Amino acid sequence: MIITTTPSVEGRSIIEYKGVVFGEVISGVNFIRDFAAKIRNVVGGRSGSYEGELVDARENALREMAQRAAQLGADAVVGVDLDYEVLGQDNGMLMVTASGTAVKLG
């Protein structure tokens, strides 16, 4: 499955539009990660635990989107957009949404 943020795939023609597809992931961040991130904020540096959670959520959202496109018989997803949001009263949930147009290539 080709996944691209561009509206087309270079060297290939789009012969059929299958529809808009989405992949959504909501993941909670646990107490230990929150505590480690607070320490990082005080002493400086990057929060590896949060970065890892973000990478996992993004990859899972893209994978889910690609699976939905494959179910429609698509070869590629073009015009992909990724959105990130924090949810919950204490902003303890991370939501990543991947969306794009599933297409059949010639």
Side-chain angles (χ1 to χ4, degrees), residues 1 13 20 29 31 34-35 45 48 58-59 61 65 69 73-74 88 94 100-102:
M1 178 70 60
S13 59
V20 177
V29 181
F31 174 75
D34 281 347
F35 183 73
R58 181 178 57 238
E59 288 175 354
M65 181 190 66
L94 171 67
T101 303

Side-chain angles (χ1 to χ4, degrees), residues 2-96:
I2 298 170
I3 299 174
T4 181
T5 58
T6 60
S8 61
V9 176
E10 189 173 341
R12 305 282 300 271
S13 59
I14 295 173
I15 59 171
E16 185 180 354
Y17 290 89
K18 297 290 191 173
V20 177
V21 288
F22 294 90
E24 302 94 3
V25 172
I26 298 175
S27 70
V29 181
N30 67 32
F31 174 75
I32 302 298
R33 287 186 183 171
D34 281 347
F35 183 73
K38 287 178 184 175
I39 292 172
R40 284 277 189 219
N41 284 340
V42 172
V43 299
R46 295 169 62 169
S47 174
S49 60
Y50 277 138
E51 288 177 4
E53 186 70 30
L54 182 61
V55 168
D56 289 345
R58 181 178 57 238
E59 288 175 354
N60 288 332
L62 288 168
R63 184 174 19 263
E64 183 177 292
M65 181 190 66
Q67 288 171 346
R68 289 180 176 164
Q71 290 172 348
L72 296 175
D75 301 310
V77 182
V78 297
V80 172
D81 181 51
L82 292 164
D83 292 312
Y84 303 90
E85 297 289 334
V86 288
L87 305 171
Q89 286 183 322
D90 60 353
N91 292 329
M93 305 291 281
L94 171 67
M95 179 175 72
V96 179

